[in-house]
Amino acid sequence: MRSQPRTWLTILAAALLIGILTPASSAGAPAPPTDPWAASQVVQPAALAHALAAKAGAKPLVICVGFSVLYQGGHIAGARYAGPASSAAGRAALRRLVQPLPRGKAIVLYCGCCPWAMCPNIRPAFSLLKRLGFTNVKVLHMAQNFRTDWGARGYAMQHGAGSR
Amino acid sequence: MKRVRAALFALALTALAGAQIPVMPPPAPGPQIGQRAPAFTLAGLRGGHVALARFRGKVVLLDFWATWCEPCRQEIPKLIALQREFGGRGFTVLGVALDDGGAPVVRPVARRLGISYPIAIGTIPVAAAYGGMEGLPTAFLLGRDGRVRQIYYGVQRQAELRQAIRAALAR
């Protein structure tokens, strides 16, 4: 009888250990993606909108690495279109777009197709530019999607095919 | 000869650019609540064509989605359940898939998800006619008269959809 509390403690400890060690994916939830960027390489929509609207100062090159239907439905004013970086064609288009640029060029990548953790494009796009040697690349944090985090906030937008 | 070659080269470039990214017509505001939903005829996922007019007299939940859109895929089981619940009472979900790859990309995903309602392969002009898609899923609940009753941006709660469908069916 005296050992009963210790038995319960052992069971509790084992359960906690299993809970900690079991990966989230095995519980049905997808494991969160690993971000290839540092926290300092993430820019918030308000900060980018402010930088783009400013009369003075060099503006970064903004590149959309999302899906064409969404880009055409509405995109950041002045943003160039590469294509979805989750596909080989999208990555090739991004590579072509940045090829002539100096490696220190300020670039902001964005997608906004899906909630941040689910976005299939932003991570491969950033990794590609990193591999190509670009040293001043940031990603635009779209917590929900382009409509909620950019369009609905009234930041400058354009519609249509824009420029590649 | 040089001029002809240059013209041909420019033509080929234009054609290539056009093939890569079809151009969306100038943005329309999209149908508002109470307005008639823009008509369309699109290729159906199971062959043939899907015309919106075919559903006149039914309550339609027009769901713009894409296979790459995780929230869209998460919502589909709810839509299947709504189709099952109200399908025999003058209601249908009509999915419009906006994948660049069209039917070959959409078909296996639709099969895997067990989608039981009609799916049309969307085009950029149809997306533009509905206001352009700044995010997916975007859905329009149409009444029996083909007018927009509700517009939904993002994933919706099933209870809300059910309530809105019931109200539309009761009219």
Side-chain angles (χ1 to χ4, degrees):
Chain A
M1 282 301 276
R2 281 184 66 197
S3 68
Q4 209 174 29
R6 222 167 57 191
T7 311
W8 280 111
L9 272 177
T10 310
I11 291 170
L12 188 66
L16 276 173
L17 199 64
I18 288 167
I20 290 165
L21 293 179
T22 307
S25 55
S26 70
T34 312
D35 295 335
W37 50 72
S40 61
Q41 290 170 308
V42 178
V43 61
Q44 296 301 323
L48 180 64
H50 183 76
L52 294 176
K55 286 205 167 69
K59 293 175 180 33
L61 171 66
V62 181
I63 302 175
C64 174
V65 294
F67 299 94
S68 68
V69 68
L70 297 184
Y71 177 81
Q72 296 196 44
H75 56 265
I76 295 174
R80 304 284 303 274
Y81 182 68
S86 52
S87 72
R91 288 192 297 278
L94 177 60
R95 187 188 287 264
R96 277 197 303 275
L97 202 155
V98 299
Q99 204 65 53
L101 301 176
R103 293 315 190 240
K105 172 81 182 165
I107 296 173
V108 174
L109 298 170
Y110 85 95
C111 176
C113 73
C114 312
W116 188 239
M118 296 173 180
C119 177
N121 298 312
I122 196 75
R123 289 165 185 83
F126 183 88
S127 297
L128 174 62
L129 293 202
K130 205 168 150 185
R131 276 201 308 280
L132 291 175
F134 285 88
T135 55
N136 194 6
V137 182
K138 292 188 175 177
V139 288
L140 180 61
H141 182 249
M142 297 274 190
Q144 284 306 310
N145 59 29
F146 180 77
R147 177 172 42 221
T148 306
D149 299 307
W150 191 271
R153 292 181 185 180
Y155 300 145
M157 267 177 64
Q158 284 176 324
H159 300 268
S163 51
R164 282 189 87 98
Chain B
M1 192 61 194
K2 265 185 187 171
R3 270 191 200 162
V4 173
R5 233 183 264 165
L8 282 174
F9 182 65
L11 200 68
L13 271 184
T14 312
L16 268 177
Q20 282 173 329
I21 178 166
V23 176
M24 183 178 267
Q32 303 301 303
I33 290 174
Q35 293 181 338
R36 196 169 291 285
F40 61 76
T41 300
L42 293 167
L45 186 63
R46 297 178 183 119
H49 289 89
V50 177
L52 182 62
R54 197 179 91 196
F55 300 96
R56 183 67 59 83
K58 280 190 171 189
V59 171
V60 177
L61 185 64
L62 187 59
D63 177 47
F64 288 90
W65 70 292
T67 60
W68 43 257
C69 166
E70 177 67 28
C72 302
R73 292 201 309 268
Q74 287 178 359
E75 192 171 48
I76 280 171
K78 283 192 244 170
L79 303 184
I80 293 170
L82 290 171
Q83 178 74 25
R84 199 175 297 137
E85 185 175 351
F86 296 107
R89 292 150 63 179
F91 166 80
T92 189
V93 179
L94 173 54
V96 179
L98 290 170
D99 292 79
D100 288 345
V105 172
V106 178
R107 197 172 288 118
V109 177
R111 196 176 298 136
R112 195 171 67 240
L113 292 169
I115 294 180
S116 52
Y117 48 80
I119 297 280
I121 302 302
T123 60
I124 296 283
V126 168
Y130 279 81
M133 298 293 146
E134 289 172 21
L136 295 179
T138 295
F140 296 80
L141 182 66
L142 313 182
R144 293 184 194 273
D145 57 0
R147 291 181 187 277
V148 175
R149 291 180 57 89
Q150 296 286 340
I151 303 172
Y152 301 105
Y153 299 113
V155 173
Q156 301 301 312
R157 287 176 52 231
Q158 194 168 13
E160 273 175 37
L161 290 173
R162 187 179 283 126
Q163 196 179 350
I165 292 164
R166 272 208 193 101
L169 286 169
R171 285 178 69 95

